[in-house]
Amino acid sequence: MTDENSVSITQEPKKAKVSKHSAEFGKGKKRDVKRNIPSDLIPIEEETWLLQPIAVTMMRHDYSLIQIRILVTIVEFMQSKLHKILNKNKMEPEIFSDVELDNDGRLEIKTLFKTLGVDPNHYPQLRQSLKMLAAIPVEIPYKTVDGRSYLKVTNLCDVYIPKDSGLYEKYAVLKIDRTVAKRLVSLDLGYHRLGKQIVFACRNRYTQRIYMFIESWLDKGGTRIKTLEFRKMLRLESNYKKFSDFTRRVLEPAKEELKSLSENGFCDCYFEYEKKYYNGQRGGEPDELVFHIFRPKNKLNKQLQDVTDMQRSQFADMLVRYFGFDLAVAKKMSDRITPTNYQGAVSKLVDLRNRLRNDLTIHDRAAYTYRVLDNLFRGVQTQ
């Protein structure tokens, strides 16, 4: 194992329990794959979909491929908390209660080595990666209640590794400060879905990071970002000074790997990019990178679209029937439904219907419901 762009460790993919979101899509048979794609990857039909806050996606760090997998397992651990926050659409007085924290006031996460896709022969290197995780600084973006933007500079966690090498079950304990844990479940910048097995399938750490980035813009079909900001996200401000080297070592490998995974049914998106210059120059470092994000054209994509269309139709019908929406407005709101946010949106409607039955001070039910749903879809926390 190395901590460079990519690693050659043997992955041991374990079939994870499918989340409630992926269960909606049904399961398909494994398909024939190209020779350069491992046959032991998890088909997209069986993907474990996670909710990931944008704050985690845009976090600046210099993690290795394995350390990014560890970060994803932390996000997976936080899923119940994230769904609770999302469905209530408000922050509790204290997100993590004292009962959830250890005696030091920190969140404790036990991480089994076997869940990280590392061959047991490479456990010594995995231990080293875990040790380094406690020392590598991260910069986490967040917004205050008055709208100011900051970067919190910290380390992600402390790591405790048992000395007893004879333990049957190898593991490490990650301890995260309460303030950092809060940032990891903050939805003030929004959220998106993330495929756990997709991240684990990537053989290049830049592919992992760029996958997270484009997944957050998948519903928009693309985005643009200043090249310097993109470099900062990857902690490559000082590396690959020549943009041709940056392209060759970072962008092109990620583009090719995600496209190959998508074409073979193991990833839900891939990208193309173009360079934008502000002053008409034709070469060198571009001012911006424009990402065009695509879904793979396969049978699964059609299945997902059919499910989403049905969910949107049902959601629009509920808005008209129970909340007094005009049909055109209901359809426009339902267009914002995705496989990831559908369950949370329906739960919110159930809560709203019960509230409106008892709260006679709300006179315009449609306007009130529209405002609540708009905040929900934008990932805005309200009191």
Side-chain angles (χ1 to χ4, degrees), residues 339-354:
T340 301
N341 65 26
Y342 175 72
Q343 290 294 340
V346 170
S347 296
K348 178 57 62 178
L349 285 188
V350 172
D351 291 343
L352 281 173
R353 193 179 180 201
N354 291 333

Side-chain angles (χ1 to χ4, degrees), residues 1 7-16 41 50 64-77 109-120 122-131 133 156-157 159-161 169-174 196-203 208:
M1 182 193 302
V7 298
S8 59
I9 69 167
T10 302
Q11 183 177 348
E12 280 190 328
K14 299 294 183 182
K15 185 176 179 181
L41 298 182
L50 307 176
S64 69
L65 183 144
I66 297 303
Q67 289 164 342
I68 293 173
R69 289 184 186 177
I70 297 169
L71 174 62
V72 171
T73 64
I74 293 173
V75 172
E76 184 177 31
F77 179 86
I109 303 175
K110 182 178 180 180
T111 303
L112 301 177
F113 285 12
K114 65 182 180 181
T115 65
L116 297 174
V118 177
D119 188 287
H122 293 285
Y123 279 0
Q125 294 96 321
L126 174 57
R127 288 187 178 91
Q128 188 61 32
S129 289
L130 282 160
K131 291 177 183 178
L133 191 70
L156 185 64
C157 61
V159 180
Y160 295 78
I161 303 174
E169 190 173 64
K170 303 295 190 295
Y171 68 92
V173 175
L174 312 180
K196 175 186 174 181
Q197 277 83 25
I198 295 172
V199 175
F200 275 49
C202 295
R203 299 294 180 173
Q208 292 174 318

Side-chain angles (χ1 to χ4, degrees), residues 321-335:
R321 181 177 302 182
Y322 301 118
F323 299 93
F325 272 56
D326 176 77
L327 181 58
V329 177
K331 286 183 176 180
K332 187 173 181 179
M333 179 62 74
S334 68
D335 284 343

Side-chain angles (χ1 to χ4, degrees), residues 5-126:
N5 314 9
S6 57
V7 298
S8 59
I9 69 167
T10 302
Q11 183 177 348
E12 280 190 328
K14 299 294 183 182
K15 185 176 179 181
K17 184 177 179 181
V18 180
S19 69
K20 62 182 180 180
H21 298 294
S22 59
E24 296 176 339
F25 309 146
K27 296 182 179 179
K29 297 179 180 179
K30 289 187 177 181
R31 55 185 61 76
D32 294 332
V33 298
K34 295 180 179 179
R35 291 182 180 179
N36 64 334
I37 295 293
S39 60
D40 56 359
L41 298 182
I42 302 297
I44 196 73
E45 297 94 329
E46 301 176 24
E47 181 61 60
T48 300
W49 296 111
L50 307 176
L51 288 181
Q52 176 155 299
I54 297 293
V56 177
T57 300
M58 299 306 293
M59 186 168 67
R60 298 175 183 174
H61 57 74
D62 193 27
Y63 287 163
S64 69
L65 183 144
I66 297 303
Q67 289 164 342
I68 293 173
R69 289 184 186 177
I70 297 169
L71 174 62
V72 171
T73 64
I74 293 173
V75 172
E76 184 177 31
F77 179 86
M78 300 290 196
Q79 289 303 289
S80 61
K81 182 67 66 175
L82 284 164
H83 282 285
K84 187 175 181 180
I85 294 171
L86 183 63
N87 290 338
K88 287 190 173 183
N89 200 31
K90 65 181 181 180
M91 301 297 284
E92 298 173 353
E94 188 54 65
I95 302 173
F96 294 97
S97 65
D98 292 337
V99 177
E100 298 175 276
L101 306 176
D102 65 10
N103 293 333
D104 297 328
R106 295 181 295 178
L107 184 68
E108 184 174 296
I109 303 175
K110 182 178 180 180
T111 303
L112 301 177
F113 285 12
K114 65 182 180 181
T115 65
L116 297 174
V118 177
D119 188 287
N121 292 327
H122 293 285
Y123 279 0
Q125 294 96 321
L126 174 57

Side-chain angles (χ1 to χ4, degrees), residues 249-288:
R249 298 295 298 274
V250 179
L251 288 171
E252 286 297 322
K255 184 183 79 169
E256 294 304 320
E257 186 173 12
L258 289 178
K259 188 169 185 180
S260 182
L261 287 170
S262 295
E263 288 176 346
N264 286 272
F266 300 109
C267 186
D268 65 329
C269 61
Y270 62 97
F271 72 94
E272 300 285 347
Y273 67 92
E274 59 179 301
K275 299 171 285 187
K276 287 292 183 183
Y277 298 92
Y278 293 160
N279 299 315
Q281 66 266 39
R282 295 180 178 273
E285 181 96 354
D287 297 289
E288 282 187 342

